[in-house]
mmCIF file of all heavy atoms in Angstrom:
data_model
loop_
_atom_site.group_PDB
_atom_site.id
_atom_site.type_symbol
_atom_site.label_atom_id
_atom_site.label_comp_id
_atom_site.label_asym_id
_atom_site.label_seq_id
_atom_site.Cartn_x
_atom_site.Cartn_y
_atom_site.Cartn_z
ATOM 1 N N GLY T 17 157.580 49.158 69.211
ATOM 2 C CA GLY T 17 158.772 49.963 68.960
ATOM 3 C C GLY T 17 158.897 51.176 69.854
ATOM 4 O O GLY T 17 159.937 51.842 69.878
ATOM 5 N N ARG T 18 157.831 51.487 70.598
ATOM 6 C CA ARG T 18 157.853 52.669 71.472
ATOM 7 C C ARG T 18 157.680 52.291 72.945
ATOM 8 O O ARG T 18 158.221 52.972 73.823
ATOM 9 C CB ARG T 18 156.739 53.638 71.074
ATOM 10 C CG ARG T 18 156.847 54.136 69.642
ATOM 11 C CD ARG T 18 155.833 55.227 69.354
ATOM 12 N NE ARG T 18 154.457 54.744 69.474
ATOM 13 C CZ ARG T 18 153.576 55.236 70.335
ATOM 14 N NH1 ARG T 18 153.912 56.212 71.170
ATOM 15 N NH2 ARG T 18 152.326 54.751 70.376
ATOM 16 N N PHE T 19 156.912 51.253 73.219
ATOM 17 C CA PHE T 19 156.630 50.826 74.590
ATOM 18 C C PHE T 19 157.404 49.549 74.899
ATOM 19 O O PHE T 19 157.613 48.709 74.015
ATOM 20 C CB PHE T 19 155.139 50.545 74.777
ATOM 21 C CG PHE T 19 154.248 51.763 74.763
ATOM 22 C CD1 PHE T 19 154.717 53.007 74.372
ATOM 23 C CD2 PHE T 19 152.927 51.652 75.170
ATOM 24 C CE1 PHE T 19 153.884 54.113 74.359
ATOM 25 C CE2 PHE T 19 152.077 52.748 75.176
ATOM 26 C CZ PHE T 19 152.560 53.977 74.759
ATOM 27 N N THR T 20 157.776 49.403 76.174
ATOM 28 C CA THR T 20 158.456 48.196 76.638
ATOM 29 C C THR T 20 157.816 47.743 77.940
ATOM 30 O O THR T 20 157.799 48.494 78.918
ATOM 31 C CB THR T 20 159.953 48.440 76.854
ATOM 32 O OG1 THR T 20 160.547 48.909 75.645
ATOM 33 C CG2 THR T 20 160.642 47.148 77.284
ATOM 34 N N ILE T 21 157.310 46.520 77.934
ATOM 35 C CA ILE T 21 156.718 45.942 79.141
ATOM 36 C C ILE T 21 157.760 45.053 79.817
ATOM 37 O O ILE T 21 158.572 44.409 79.142
ATOM 38 C CB ILE T 21 155.435 45.144 78.815
ATOM 39 C CG1 ILE T 21 154.723 44.714 80.098
ATOM 40 C CG2 ILE T 21 155.751 43.949 77.923
ATOM 41 C CD1 ILE T 21 153.343 44.091 79.853
ATOM 42 N N SER T 22 157.740 45.049 81.138
ATOM 43 C CA SER T 22 158.628 44.168 81.887
ATOM 44 C C SER T 22 157.933 43.793 83.191
ATOM 45 O O SER T 22 156.950 44.433 83.582
ATOM 46 C CB SER T 22 159.981 44.834 82.151
ATOM 47 O OG SER T 22 159.827 46.030 82.896
ATOM 48 N N ARG T 23 158.457 42.772 83.825
ATOM 49 C CA ARG T 23 157.880 42.343 85.101
ATOM 50 C C ARG T 23 158.976 41.903 86.046
ATOM 51 O O ARG T 23 160.026 41.402 85.596
ATOM 52 C CB ARG T 23 156.847 41.220 84.904
ATOM 53 C CG ARG T 23 157.415 39.934 84.352
ATOM 54 C CD ARG T 23 156.299 38.962 83.970
ATOM 55 N NE ARG T 23 155.589 38.447 85.127
ATOM 56 C CZ ARG T 23 154.398 37.846 85.053
ATOM 57 N NH1 ARG T 23 153.790 37.711 83.884
ATOM 58 N NH2 ARG T 23 153.814 37.371 86.144
ATOM 59 N N HIS T 24 158.715 42.081 87.321
ATOM 60 C CA HIS T 24 159.640 41.626 88.354
ATOM 61 C C HIS T 24 158.820 40.761 89.291
ATOM 62 O O HIS T 24 158.150 41.269 90.196
ATOM 63 C CB HIS T 24 160.259 42.824 89.072
ATOM 64 C CG HIS T 24 161.468 42.481 89.865
ATOM 65 N ND1 HIS T 24 161.487 41.475 90.813
ATOM 66 C CD2 HIS T 24 162.707 43.004 89.865
ATOM 67 C CE1 HIS T 24 162.677 41.407 91.339
ATOM 68 N NE2 HIS T 24 163.445 42.319 90.788
ATOM 69 N N ASN T 25 158.844 39.466 89.064
ATOM 70 C CA ASN T 25 157.966 38.567 89.809
ATOM 71 C C ASN T 25 158.234 38.618 91.314
ATOM 72 O O ASN T 25 157.304 38.579 92.116
ATOM 73 C CB ASN T 25 158.113 37.136 89.299
ATOM 74 C CG ASN T 25 157.524 36.962 87.912
ATOM 75 O OD1 ASN T 25 156.530 37.585 87.547
ATOM 76 N ND2 ASN T 25 158.155 36.121 87.107
ATOM 77 N N ALA T 26 159.481 38.692 91.703
ATOM 78 C CA ALA T 26 159.819 38.681 93.130
ATOM 79 C C ALA T 26 159.275 39.916 93.841
ATOM 80 O O ALA T 26 158.973 39.869 95.039
ATOM 81 C CB ALA T 26 161.326 38.592 93.306
ATOM 82 N N GLU T 27 159.156 41.024 93.094
ATOM 83 C CA GLU T 27 158.634 42.260 93.676
ATOM 84 C C GLU T 27 157.167 42.470 93.349
ATOM 85 O O GLU T 27 156.586 43.490 93.731
ATOM 86 C CB GLU T 27 159.457 43.451 93.189
ATOM 87 C CG GLU T 27 160.892 43.439 93.678
ATOM 88 C CD GLU T 27 161.665 44.673 93.249
ATOM 89 O OE1 GLU T 27 161.128 45.479 92.456
ATOM 90 O OE2 GLU T 27 162.818 44.824 93.693
ATOM 91 N N ASN T 28 156.583 41.510 92.617
ATOM 92 C CA ASN T 28 155.164 41.594 92.248
ATOM 93 C C ASN T 28 154.827 42.914 91.571
ATOM 94 O O ASN T 28 153.834 43.578 91.897
ATOM 95 C CB ASN T 28 154.265 41.371 93.468
ATOM 96 C CG ASN T 28 154.406 39.973 94.009
ATOM 97 O OD1 ASN T 28 154.409 39.006 93.251
ATOM 98 N ND2 ASN T 28 154.570 39.862 95.324
ATOM 99 N N THR T 29 155.669 43.281 90.620
ATOM 100 C CA THR T 29 155.509 44.554 89.934
ATOM 101 C C THR T 29 155.641 44.360 88.424
ATOM 102 O O THR T 29 156.456 43.562 87.967
ATOM 103 C CB THR T 29 156.554 45.566 90.418
ATOM 104 O OG1 THR T 29 156.483 45.675 91.844
ATOM 105 C CG2 THR T 29 156.309 46.935 89.812
ATOM 106 N N VAL T 30 154.837 45.104 87.707
ATOM 107 C CA VAL T 30 154.894 45.126 86.246
ATOM 108 C C VAL T 30 155.127 46.572 85.830
ATOM 109 O O VAL T 30 154.566 47.496 86.428
ATOM 110 C CB VAL T 30 153.590 44.596 85.622
ATOM 111 C CG1 VAL T 30 153.723 44.514 84.102
ATOM 112 C CG2 VAL T 30 153.232 43.231 86.193
ATOM 113 N N TYR T 31 155.946 46.751 84.794
ATOM 114 C CA TYR T 31 156.295 48.089 84.344
ATOM 115 C C TYR T 31 155.903 48.276 82.881
ATOM 116 O O TYR T 31 155.812 47.315 82.111
ATOM 117 C CB TYR T 31 157.796 48.335 84.491
ATOM 118 C CG TYR T 31 158.306 48.188 85.895
ATOM 119 C CD1 TYR T 31 158.912 47.003 86.315
ATOM 120 C CD2 TYR T 31 158.198 49.235 86.809
ATOM 121 C CE1 TYR T 31 159.390 46.870 87.605
ATOM 122 C CE2 TYR T 31 158.671 49.108 88.103
ATOM 123 C CZ TYR T 31 159.261 47.921 88.496
ATOM 124 O OH TYR T 31 159.735 47.786 89.778
ATOM 125 N N LEU T 32 155.719 49.535 82.519
ATOM 126 C CA LEU T 32 155.530 49.875 81.120
ATOM 127 C C LEU T 32 156.335 51.142 80.843
ATOM 128 O O LEU T 32 155.978 52.224 81.318
ATOM 129 C CB LEU T 32 154.059 50.104 80.769
ATOM 130 C CG LEU T 32 153.773 50.311 79.281
ATOM 131 C CD1 LEU T 32 154.036 49.014 78.501
ATOM 132 C CD2 LEU T 32 152.331 50.767 79.059
ATOM 133 N N GLN T 33 157.422 50.986 80.109
ATOM 134 C CA GLN T 33 158.223 52.128 79.686
ATOM 135 C C GLN T 33 157.642 52.639 78.374
ATOM 136 O O GLN T 33 157.551 51.884 77.405
ATOM 137 C CB GLN T 33 159.682 51.724 79.498
ATOM 138 C CG GLN T 33 160.581 52.836 78.984
ATOM 139 C CD GLN T 33 160.757 53.957 79.984
ATOM 140 O OE1 GLN T 33 160.958 53.719 81.177
ATOM 141 N NE2 GLN T 33 160.679 55.202 79.512
ATOM 142 N N MET T 34 157.280 53.897 78.368
ATOM 143 C CA MET T 34 156.639 54.479 77.184
ATOM 144 C C MET T 34 157.510 55.607 76.652
ATOM 145 O O MET T 34 157.749 56.597 77.349
ATOM 146 C CB MET T 34 155.251 55.008 77.540
ATOM 147 C CG MET T 34 154.348 53.967 78.189
ATOM 148 S SD MET T 34 152.653 54.531 78.393
ATOM 149 C CE MET T 34 152.909 55.898 79.511
ATOM 150 N N ASN T 35 157.995 55.445 75.448
ATOM 151 C CA ASN T 35 158.837 56.454 74.799
ATOM 152 C C ASN T 35 158.135 56.984 73.551
ATOM 153 O O ASN T 35 157.185 56.378 73.056
ATOM 154 C CB ASN T 35 160.186 55.854 74.422
ATOM 155 C CG ASN T 35 160.972 55.352 75.605
ATOM 156 O OD1 ASN T 35 160.884 55.911 76.711
ATOM 157 N ND2 ASN T 35 161.756 54.310 75.408
ATOM 158 N N SER T 36 158.642 58.090 73.068
ATOM 159 C CA SER T 36 158.095 58.708 71.847
ATOM 160 C C SER T 36 156.573 58.806 71.917
ATOM 161 O O SER T 36 155.864 58.425 70.982
ATOM 162 C CB SER T 36 158.519 57.892 70.618
ATOM 163 O OG SER T 36 159.920 57.813 70.519
ATOM 164 N N LEU T 37 156.103 59.315 73.016
ATOM 165 C CA LEU T 37 154.652 59.366 73.237
ATOM 166 C C LEU T 37 153.958 60.279 72.238
ATOM 167 O O LEU T 37 154.522 61.303 71.808
ATOM 168 C CB LEU T 37 154.361 59.821 74.670
ATOM 169 C CG LEU T 37 154.563 58.721 75.716
ATOM 170 C CD1 LEU T 37 154.711 59.307 77.112
ATOM 171 C CD2 LEU T 37 153.414 57.730 75.672
ATOM 172 N N LYS T 38 152.747 59.893 71.890
ATOM 173 C CA LYS T 38 151.922 60.622 70.934
ATOM 174 C C LYS T 38 150.614 61.041 71.610
ATOM 175 O O LYS T 38 150.183 60.387 72.574
ATOM 176 C CB LYS T 38 151.593 59.731 69.738
ATOM 177 C CG LYS T 38 152.804 59.157 69.022
ATOM 178 C CD LYS T 38 152.371 58.207 67.912
ATOM 179 C CE LYS T 38 153.566 57.618 67.192
ATOM 180 N NZ LYS T 38 153.150 56.671 66.111
ATOM 181 N N PRO T 39 149.968 62.056 71.110
ATOM 182 C CA PRO T 39 148.684 62.460 71.708
ATOM 183 C C PRO T 39 147.675 61.322 71.748
ATOM 184 O O PRO T 39 146.876 61.240 72.696
ATOM 185 C CB PRO T 39 148.223 63.595 70.784
ATOM 186 C CG PRO T 39 149.495 64.198 70.285
ATOM 187 C CD PRO T 39 150.423 63.036 70.095
ATOM 188 N N GLU T 40 147.728 60.441 70.771
ATOM 189 C CA GLU T 40 146.782 59.316 70.756
ATOM 190 C C GLU T 40 147.075 58.265 71.820
ATOM 191 O O GLU T 40 146.301 57.326 71.995
ATOM 192 C CB GLU T 40 146.728 58.657 69.369
ATOM 193 C CG GLU T 40 148.080 58.302 68.793
ATOM 194 C CD GLU T 40 148.605 59.358 67.842
ATOM 195 O OE1 GLU T 40 148.514 60.568 68.176
ATOM 196 O OE2 GLU T 40 149.131 58.982 66.767
ATOM 197 N N ASP T 41 148.177 58.412 72.551
ATOM 198 C CA ASP T 41 148.462 57.531 73.691
ATOM 199 C C ASP T 41 147.729 57.989 74.945
ATOM 200 O O ASP T 41 147.765 57.291 75.967
ATOM 201 C CB ASP T 41 149.959 57.490 73.974
ATOM 202 C CG ASP T 41 150.759 56.856 72.858
ATOM 203 O OD1 ASP T 41 150.301 55.841 72.293
ATOM 204 O OD2 ASP T 41 151.860 57.368 72.539
ATOM 205 N N THR T 42 147.080 59.119 74.874
ATOM 206 C CA THR T 42 146.360 59.642 76.033
ATOM 207 C C THR T 42 145.265 58.687 76.474
ATOM 208 O O THR T 42 144.535 58.134 75.652
ATOM 209 C CB THR T 42 145.745 61.018 75.691
ATOM 210 O OG1 THR T 42 146.810 61.962 75.494
ATOM 211 C CG2 THR T 42 144.833 61.512 76.806
ATOM 212 N N GLY T 43 145.158 58.514 77.797
ATOM 213 C CA GLY T 43 144.139 57.641 78.335
ATOM 214 C C GLY T 43 144.482 57.224 79.758
ATOM 215 O O GLY T 43 145.502 57.628 80.306
ATOM 216 N N VAL T 44 143.613 56.408 80.321
ATOM 217 C CA VAL T 44 143.875 55.823 81.636
ATOM 218 C C VAL T 44 144.468 54.440 81.407
ATOM 219 O O VAL T 44 143.909 53.640 80.651
ATOM 220 C CB VAL T 44 142.593 55.729 82.486
ATOM 221 C CG1 VAL T 44 142.921 55.137 83.845
ATOM 222 C CG2 VAL T 44 141.963 57.104 82.641
ATOM 223 N N TYR T 45 145.596 54.191 82.036
ATOM 224 C CA TYR T 45 146.327 52.935 81.865
ATOM 225 C C TYR T 45 146.112 52.042 83.080
ATOM 226 O O TYR T 45 146.201 52.491 84.228
ATOM 227 C CB TYR T 45 147.806 53.213 81.646
ATOM 228 C CG TYR T 45 148.113 53.704 80.249
ATOM 229 C CD1 TYR T 45 147.728 54.976 79.844
ATOM 230 C CD2 TYR T 45 148.771 52.887 79.338
ATOM 231 C CE1 TYR T 45 147.986 55.420 78.551
ATOM 232 C CE2 TYR T 45 149.038 53.325 78.053
ATOM 233 C CZ TYR T 45 148.635 54.587 77.661
ATOM 234 O OH TYR T 45 148.890 55.016 76.388
ATOM 235 N N TYR T 46 145.822 50.783 82.794
ATOM 236 C CA TYR T 46 145.576 49.782 83.824
ATOM 237 C C TYR T 46 146.461 48.565 83.568
ATOM 238 O O TYR T 46 146.798 48.264 82.423
ATOM 239 C CB TYR T 46 144.131 49.291 83.775
ATOM 240 C CG TYR T 46 143.061 50.350 83.874
ATOM 241 C CD1 TYR T 46 142.631 51.035 82.749
ATOM 242 C CD2 TYR T 46 142.457 50.634 85.098
ATOM 243 C CE1 TYR T 46 141.632 51.993 82.833
ATOM 244 C CE2 TYR T 46 141.452 51.585 85.195
ATOM 245 C CZ TYR T 46 141.054 52.257 84.059
ATOM 246 O OH TYR T 46 140.049 53.201 84.148
ATOM 247 N N CYS T 47 146.775 47.854 84.629
ATOM 248 C CA CYS T 47 147.409 46.554 84.455
ATOM 249 C C CYS T 47 146.457 45.495 85.012
ATOM 250 O O CYS T 47 145.622 45.784 85.875
ATOM 251 C CB CYS T 47 148.760 46.476 85.145
ATOM 252 S SG CYS T 47 148.659 46.420 86.939
ATOM 253 N N ASN T 48 146.570 44.295 84.506
ATOM 254 C CA ASN T 48 145.753 43.198 85.011
ATOM 255 C C ASN T 48 146.236 41.900 84.391
ATOM 256 O O ASN T 48 147.004 41.889 83.419
ATOM 257 C CB ASN T 48 144.272 43.395 84.678
ATOM 258 C CG ASN T 48 143.359 42.767 85.724
ATOM 259 O OD1 ASN T 48 143.737 41.804 86.391
ATOM 260 N ND2 ASN T 48 142.183 43.330 85.883
ATOM 261 N N GLY T 49 145.796 40.811 84.973
ATOM 262 C CA GLY T 49 146.047 39.520 84.373
ATOM 263 C C GLY T 49 145.248 39.409 83.088
ATOM 264 O O GLY T 49 144.110 39.871 83.015
ATOM 265 N N VAL T 50 145.838 38.787 82.091
ATOM 266 C CA VAL T 50 145.163 38.680 80.793
ATOM 267 C C VAL T 50 144.234 37.471 80.776
ATOM 268 O O VAL T 50 143.105 37.558 80.301
ATOM 269 C CB VAL T 50 146.198 38.579 79.666
ATOM 270 C CG1 VAL T 50 145.514 38.360 78.320
ATOM 271 C CG2 VAL T 50 147.052 39.842 79.627
ATOM 272 N N ILE T 51 144.690 36.357 81.306
ATOM 273 C CA ILE T 51 143.889 35.127 81.298
ATOM 274 C C ILE T 51 143.119 34.975 82.613
ATOM 275 O O ILE T 51 142.000 34.491 82.632
ATOM 276 C CB ILE T 51 144.801 33.913 81.059
ATOM 277 C CG1 ILE T 51 145.496 34.060 79.704
ATOM 278 C CG2 ILE T 51 144.005 32.611 81.118
ATOM 279 C CD1 ILE T 51 146.577 33.033 79.455
ATOM 280 N N LYS T 52 143.750 35.435 83.698
ATOM 281 C CA LYS T 52 143.123 35.350 85.026
ATOM 282 C C LYS T 52 143.060 36.758 85.621
ATOM 283 O O LYS T 52 143.835 37.098 86.522
ATOM 284 C CB LYS T 52 143.940 34.413 85.914
ATOM 285 C CG LYS T 52 143.906 32.962 85.443
ATOM 286 C CD LYS T 52 144.646 32.051 86.419
ATOM 287 C CE LYS T 52 146.131 32.121 86.254
ATOM 288 N NZ LYS T 52 146.858 31.156 87.114
ATOM 289 N N PRO T 53 142.134 37.572 85.122
ATOM 290 C CA PRO T 53 142.080 38.947 85.619
ATOM 291 C C PRO T 53 141.617 39.028 87.064
ATOM 292 O O PRO T 53 140.873 38.170 87.543
ATOM 293 C CB PRO T 53 141.084 39.621 84.680
ATOM 294 C CG PRO T 53 140.220 38.510 84.192
ATOM 295 C CD PRO T 53 141.126 37.315 84.100
ATOM 296 N N ARG T 54 142.082 40.078 87.712
ATOM 297 C CA ARG T 54 141.680 40.398 89.075
ATOM 298 C C ARG T 54 140.830 41.652 89.021
ATOM 299 O O ARG T 54 140.678 42.270 87.958
ATOM 300 C CB ARG T 54 142.932 40.602 89.940
ATOM 301 C CG ARG T 54 143.812 39.352 90.072
ATOM 302 C CD ARG T 54 143.076 38.204 90.721
ATOM 303 N NE ARG T 54 143.956 37.095 91.050
ATOM 304 C CZ ARG T 54 144.119 36.025 90.272
ATOM 305 N NH1 ARG T 54 143.470 35.929 89.121
ATOM 306 N NH2 ARG T 54 144.922 35.046 90.666
ATOM 307 N N PRO T 55 140.281 42.085 90.164
ATOM 308 C CA PRO T 55 139.535 43.358 90.153
ATOM 309 C C PRO T 55 140.417 44.488 89.633
ATOM 310 O O PRO T 55 141.601 44.574 89.982
ATOM 311 C CB PRO T 55 139.181 43.555 91.622
ATOM 312 C CG PRO T 55 139.120 42.173 92.183
ATOM 313 C CD PRO T 55 140.210 41.422 91.484
ATOM 314 N N TRP T 56 139.842 45.337 88.815
ATOM 315 C CA TRP T 56 140.604 46.424 88.217
ATOM 316 C C TRP T 56 141.022 47.454 89.268
ATOM 317 O O TRP T 56 140.268 47.760 90.192
ATOM 318 C CB TRP T 56 139.781 47.109 87.129
ATOM 319 C CG TRP T 56 139.526 46.231 85.956
ATOM 320 C CD1 TRP T 56 138.443 45.432 85.739
ATOM 321 C CD2 TRP T 56 140.409 46.027 84.840
ATOM 322 N NE1 TRP T 56 138.586 44.752 84.555
ATOM 323 C CE2 TRP T 56 139.780 45.091 83.978
ATOM 324 C CE3 TRP T 56 141.648 46.537 84.470
ATOM 325 C CZ2 TRP T 56 140.368 44.665 82.780
ATOM 326 C CZ3 TRP T 56 142.225 46.119 83.282
ATOM 327 C CH2 TRP T 56 141.592 45.193 82.451
ATOM 328 N N GLY T 57 142.216 47.982 89.090
ATOM 329 C CA GLY T 57 142.664 49.074 89.935
ATOM 330 C C GLY T 57 142.082 50.392 89.449
ATOM 331 O O GLY T 57 141.233 50.417 88.552
ATOM 332 N N GLN T 58 142.579 51.473 90.010
ATOM 333 C CA GLN T 58 142.051 52.788 89.645
ATOM 334 C C GLN T 58 142.685 53.336 88.376
ATOM 335 O O GLN T 58 142.200 54.297 87.789
ATOM 336 C CB GLN T 58 142.270 53.792 90.789
ATOM 337 C CG GLN T 58 143.636 54.443 90.835
ATOM 338 C CD GLN T 58 144.740 53.502 91.290
ATOM 339 O OE1 GLN T 58 144.470 52.396 91.754
ATOM 340 N NE2 GLN T 58 145.985 53.946 91.176
ATOM 341 N N GLY T 59 143.763 52.711 87.965
ATOM 342 C CA GLY T 59 144.450 53.167 86.763
ATOM 343 C C GLY T 59 145.289 54.400 87.018
ATOM 344 O O GLY T 59 145.241 55.007 88.097
ATOM 345 N N THR T 60 146.059 54.775 86.019
ATOM 346 C CA THR T 60 146.864 55.984 86.101
ATOM 347 C C THR T 60 146.688 56.776 84.808
ATOM 348 O O THR T 60 146.757 56.205 83.719
ATOM 349 C CB THR T 60 148.343 55.660 86.384
ATOM 350 O OG1 THR T 60 149.073 56.876 86.610
ATOM 351 C CG2 THR T 60 148.997 54.851 85.290
ATOM 352 N N GLN T 61 146.431 58.068 84.942
ATOM 353 C CA GLN T 61 146.125 58.902 83.787
ATOM 354 C C GLN T 61 147.395 59.322 83.070
ATOM 355 O O GLN T 61 148.339 59.828 83.700
ATOM 356 C CB GLN T 61 145.365 60.154 84.232
ATOM 357 C CG GLN T 61 145.091 61.156 83.115
ATOM 358 C CD GLN T 61 144.053 60.663 82.128
ATOM 359 O OE1 GLN T 61 142.995 60.171 82.526
ATOM 360 N NE2 GLN T 61 144.344 60.807 80.839
ATOM 361 N N VAL T 62 147.395 59.130 81.769
ATOM 362 C CA VAL T 62 148.479 59.601 80.912
ATOM 363 C C VAL T 62 147.877 60.593 79.928
ATOM 364 O O VAL T 62 146.914 60.271 79.223
ATOM 365 C CB VAL T 62 149.145 58.433 80.156
ATOM 366 C CG1 VAL T 62 150.138 58.969 79.112
ATOM 367 C CG2 VAL T 62 149.838 57.495 81.127
ATOM 368 N N THR T 63 148.436 61.779 79.902
ATOM 369 C CA THR T 63 147.979 62.807 78.979
ATOM 370 C C THR T 63 149.168 63.307 78.172
ATOM 371 O O THR T 63 150.167 63.752 78.750
ATOM 372 C CB THR T 63 147.332 63.986 79.718
ATOM 373 O OG1 THR T 63 146.257 63.504 80.532
ATOM 374 C CG2 THR T 63 146.792 65.007 78.725
#
């Protein structure tokens, strides 16, 4: 109800729209394949 995931296959990009953020959402966010994971990226910090 607060986050929305989307993907654009042609642009090889995945998005995460995060609304109504809470302090407990703080952390480092990563994307990856769920069934066929690749090496992890560096992530992006959300505070």
Side-chain angles (χ1 to χ4, degrees):
R18 300 187 297 119
F19 290 11
T20 303
I21 188 172
S22 60
R23 64 189 291 164
H24 196 307
N25 290 326
E27 294 183 353
N28 295 315
T29 306
V30 185
Y31 301 98
L32 187 68
Q33 177 67 44
M34 305 188 297
N35 299 328
S36 301
L37 283 161
K38 304 176 180 179
E40 50 263 45
D41 295 319
T42 293
V44 181
Y45 284 71
Y46 305 85
C47 71
N48 210 333
V50 176
I51 299 171
K52 293 184 281 185
R54 297 299 189 263
W56 293 93
Q58 83 288 350
T60 187
Q61 175 71 47
V62 172
T63 304

